[in-house]
Amino acid sequence: MHSQDGDRPPILEHVAGNLRRLRQEAGLSQEALAARAGVSRRMLVNIERGDANVSLATLDRLAAALAVLFVDLVRSPDPAADRGRIAALAWAGAAPESRGTLLTGVAAAQAAELWLWSLGPGDRYASGPDPTGWQDMVYVLEGRLTVEVDGTTRLVEAGDFHAFPTDRPFAYVNQGPDLLRFLRNVVY
């Protein structure tokens, strides 16, 4: 996770503490984790101190060595934080508009599907419950999406996202006067 201009992305604030905590919970020394992940002990020490500008590939290897998800390393450690939201800059390029923002992440056992949806004004897509472990992640491109899950609603504006388990009835609704377009990622 780096930027071309040398500024560290905000997501790195969480990596050092999360990595140290997860390593200790796994009962691993720095040397043992470094060997499992194929990184130098010095690199691991620097990451845990917050002194290293670590690559996304290195974080992937560390997560795999700890048997955790990549998002477990980068999400806020605050227990009050929405666990489905990360929304942090993870990479920035040389041009100001070049960026990689990690919005959310969920565990997947089998597959993930990426869908492009559109709903006309007043239209609705309703679904029964999926098997346990299934999740949806949506990102609204234009319009305003109303997500209904078990009698509760969540409004998702253009440029925003939402992730939720789909093991209970849910619906996507366009209550607005204009076309709604969103990306839907089904993970199972």
Side-chain angles (χ1 to χ4, degrees):
M1 294 189 316
H2 70 283
S3 66
Q4 300 293 342
D5 60 9
D7 289 339
R8 293 181 356 151
I11 202 168
L12 287 176
E13 297 171 9
H14 306 308
V15 171
N18 288 337
L19 181 60
R20 187 181 318 86
R21 176 183 50 78
L22 291 166
R23 176 183 58 76
Q24 290 170 345
E25 287 173 2
L28 296 172
S29 66
Q30 288 176 330
E31 195 168 310
L33 177 57
R36 272 191 191 183
V39 301
S40 72
R41 183 180 174 280
R42 169 174 265 167
M43 169 63 86
L44 184 61
V45 168
N46 287 335
I47 295 168
E48 285 190 3
R49 284 196 317 218
D51 293 337
N53 207 358
V54 61
S55 72
L56 297 175
T58 297
L59 285 182
D60 278 335
R61 288 197 312 272
L62 288 166
L66 288 166
V68 300
L69 299 175
F70 174 85
V71 297
D72 294 327
L73 291 177
V74 299
R75 72 173 28 135
S76 172
D78 179 1
D82 179 350
R83 305 306 287 166
R85 290 185 75 81
I86 296 169
L89 179 66
W91 178 86
E97 62 275 5
S98 298
R99 55 190 18 195
T101 301
L102 179 61
L103 300 176
T104 187
V106 296
Q110 296 179 24
E113 301 167 355
L114 180 62
W115 297 73
L116 175 60
W117 281 75
S118 60
L119 290 175
D123 211 350
R124 147 189 213 94
Y125 166 78
S127 176
D130 290 323
T132 300
W134 287 43
Q135 309 243 1
D136 268 21
M137 298 186 291
V138 294
Y139 180 84
V140 178
L141 299 167
E142 65 181 277
R144 178 198 240 174
L145 172 63
T146 300
V147 178
E148 298 175 350
V149 180
D150 248 359
T152 62
T153 62
R154 170 121 182 206
L155 295 177
V156 186
E157 302 284 346
D160 201 7
F161 63 94
H162 182 53
F164 62 97
T166 58
D167 60 353
R168 49 198 174 240
F170 67 96
Y172 294 128
V173 185
N174 180 359
Q175 296 177 336
D178 300 314
L179 179 67
L180 164 65
R181 293 179 57 239
F182 63 98
L183 294 174
R184 177 183 179 207
N185 197 12
V186 180
V187 182
Y188 54 97

